[in-house]
Amino acid sequence: MRDTGEYLFTSESVSEGHPDKVADRLSDTVLDAFLAADPYSRVACETLVTTNRVVLAGETRGPASITPELLTHLCRMAIRDIGYEQDGFHWANADVQVHLHSQSADIAQGVDSAGNKDEGAGDQGIMFGYACRETPTLMPAPLYYAHEILRVMRDRRKSGDATVAGLLPDAKSQVTLRYIDGKPVGATSVVVSTQHVEGMEQADIKRVLWPLIEGVLPQGWMPAEQELYVNPTGKFVIGGPDGDCGLTGRKIIVDTYGGASPHGGGAFSGKDPTKVDRSAAYVCRYLAKNVVASGLADKCTLQISYAIGVSDPLSLYVDLHGTGKDVDEAKLEKTLRELVNLRPRGIREHLHLNRPIYVPTSAYGHFGREPDAALGTFTWEKTDLVPALKAAFGR
């Protein structure tokens, strides 16, 4: 985004009940099941969900205790937790098909360590990380508030809050903010589409959501009433996988930075941490966030690249967007390589990724979340590199 002038920028989010997010949740449910049984399992699971049907497909290498029957049960429990008990998609009645087979030996030989060869990257690719000072979480503001609207709706719905009675799991949000000289100053429009029970009127839903959205946005940021679009089609009763087919990995911009940063194209959910699509994107966010948190810059984009079967990254690129505080970007790139081992094994060990920690990432974004020491989740959101970065640049 530009750092001068006045402009509008928009990001969207989708709820855990959106069909694509249901698919992501189930793929990560499979992954966590394998990692709970064996931290070094290999998993690449894709999920399709549609009217009363779930299809799991992909490649795995892990303990025999993770049976199709167990995965079917875990998927049903995940669907129930999301809240689907509808005729067209019901946790107890959906047909769950498991089509998982052994990981390709050709891929495995490139990834596995052997002799003097360290563990290689699970695929070629480019990954990006980003951080900025627009929010306390160092995330872009439009995406931050789009996520937050849906998280609050989810929390109230699941708590049984009477004010949101009748709202169902499938929802989308979109927030447009006005920027002046690179800083967000207010919302010009907000869009929320939410599934609801038969009989609820569009005007009633808007009255329910107005104070909720107002509570999420900073004071004075609410758009004009005519710029709050709630269920613009007028009715949203048929939703979730019954209304639209869902697939793993189709919400990669929602999962990352809402379009404020480049994206390498790789999805996250259902992939174990040997897949650099996931683990390297996490370490890129970790490094970019620590750069900004240390005060070295107000904005940081970081790119890393790998070749399949090769341990060392092929490149590391840092762009401070002209916001660096007397920081040489070439020196910063060298310092970051010294602080963190960016080989696949080094990333996994530094961020403690070989654990069943991925289901919470499957909705409301992989970044900008609070690390939980007890659960071991979102370790890539820590800012523990700040002291070393400050020392390296004499701060």
Side-chain angles (χ1 to χ4, degrees):
M1 291 185 283
R2 300 192 300 269
D3 291 325
T4 58
E6 184 173 337
Y7 58 89
L8 306 181
F9 193 85
T10 303
S11 294
E12 69 161 349
S13 181
V14 296
S15 73
E16 62 188 23
H18 184 280
D20 294 331
K21 285 285 122 191
V22 175
D24 285 343
R25 168 74 177 266
L26 299 185
S27 289
D28 278 331
T29 294
V30 171
L31 172 61
D32 279 358
F34 273 94
L35 293 178
D38 178 358
Y40 299 100
S41 294
R42 300 283 173 79
V43 179
C45 176
E46 310 289 347
T47 302
L48 176 149
V49 291
T50 187
T51 302
N52 269 334
R53 186 176 299 274
V54 174
V55 180
L56 307 177
E59 303 80 45
T60 65
R61 188 175 78 187
S65 60
I66 308 302
T67 63
E69 293 75 19
L70 174 61
L71 295 178
T72 296
H73 169 72
L74 293 175
C75 286
R76 293 192 189 282
M77 294 303 98
I79 295 168
R80 183 171 71 171
D81 181 64
I82 293 169
Y84 279 115
E85 295 185 340
Q86 302 165 15
D87 290 343
F89 195 69
H90 196 295
W91 65 269
N93 302 330
D95 176 28
V96 181
Q97 301 177 22
V98 181
H99 300 285
L100 297 169
H101 58 83
S102 297
Q103 184 187 48
S104 161
D106 291 346
I107 293 176
Q109 73 176 357
V111 176
D112 292 343
S113 57
N116 294 325
K117 175 186 173 296
D118 195 5
E119 183 179 290
D123 202 353
Q124 72 175 48
I126 57 174
M127 301 85 203
F128 287 90
Y130 182 73
C132 63
R133 291 198 178 280
E134 294 180 14
T135 62
T137 60
L138 304 185
M139 287 289 287
L143 181 66
Y144 174 86
Y145 293 114
H147 282 325
E148 194 64 20
I149 289 167
L150 296 183
R151 276 199 292 261
V152 172
M153 289 173 60
R154 183 273 314 270
D155 291 346
R156 292 190 183 181
R157 176 176 60 83
K158 287 194 169 185
S159 72
D161 188 332
T163 63
V164 296
L167 301 188
L168 296 175
D170 191 0
K172 301 178 75 172
S173 65
Q174 184 172 286
V175 174
T176 300
L177 298 185
R178 182 184 306 281
Y179 282 74
I180 297 177
D181 294 335
K183 298 184 185 304
V185 297
T188 60
S189 66
V190 174
V191 183
V192 178
S193 296
T194 178
Q195 186 186 15
H196 57 88
V197 298
E198 187 73 65
M200 288 190 77
E201 298 294 330
Q202 182 185 32
D204 294 333
I205 298 171
K206 187 171 183 176
R207 278 194 292 270
V208 166
L209 294 183
W210 178 275
L212 183 153
I213 296 166
E214 191 173 33
V216 167
L217 294 176
Q219 188 173 5
W221 278 34
M222 276 296 282
E225 185 174 357
Q226 66 269 24
E227 294 298 328
L228 174 59
Y229 302 92
V230 173
N231 286 10
T233 62
K235 185 178 180 181
F236 187 2
V237 172
I238 301 172
D242 187 32
D244 192 11
C245 180
L247 294 170
T248 301
R250 282 207 300 199
K251 288 295 178 282
I252 58 176
I253 301 302
V254 171
D255 285 342
T256 52
Y257 306 104
S261 168
H263 194 295
F268 300 156
S269 290
K271 296 178 181 177
D272 74 76
T274 67
K275 278 72 173 177
V276 286
D277 276 349
R278 184 169 215 162
S279 56
Y282 287 176
V283 83
C284 283
R285 162 63 179 174
Y286 174 65
L287 296 176
K289 184 176 183 181
N290 274 270
V291 167
V292 173
S294 67
L296 298 182
D298 292 333
K299 187 184 297 186
C300 178
T301 297
L302 192 145
Q303 186 210 57
I304 197 167
S305 68
Y306 290 89
I308 187 169
V310 178
S311 300
D312 287 311
L314 304 184
S315 64
L316 174 66
Y317 167 77
V318 175
D319 183 0
L320 302 181
H321 304 274
T323 70
K325 315 297 185 182
D326 297 319
V327 175
D328 178 72
E329 287 162 332
K331 178 182 177 181
L332 180 56
E333 291 165 359
K334 181 175 183 293
T335 301
L336 293 174
R337 280 181 177 266
E338 292 169 351
L339 290 177
V340 179
N341 178 355
L342 295 177
R343 292 182 169 193
R345 184 201 300 272
I347 295 171
R348 290 191 297 104
E349 293 177 350
H350 189 96
L351 296 179
H352 307 289
L353 298 180
N354 285 100
R355 293 180 292 178
I357 57 174
Y358 296 102
V359 162
T361 71
S362 62
Y364 313 111
H366 292 245
F367 307 129
R369 310 286 291 275
E370 189 68 27
D372 188 314
L375 298 176
T377 51
F378 301 102
T379 56
W380 48 93
E381 292 296 316
K382 294 180 179 179
T383 53
D384 52 346
L385 296 182
V386 166
L389 283 169
K390 286 184 174 181
F393 287 88
R395 308 299 163 91

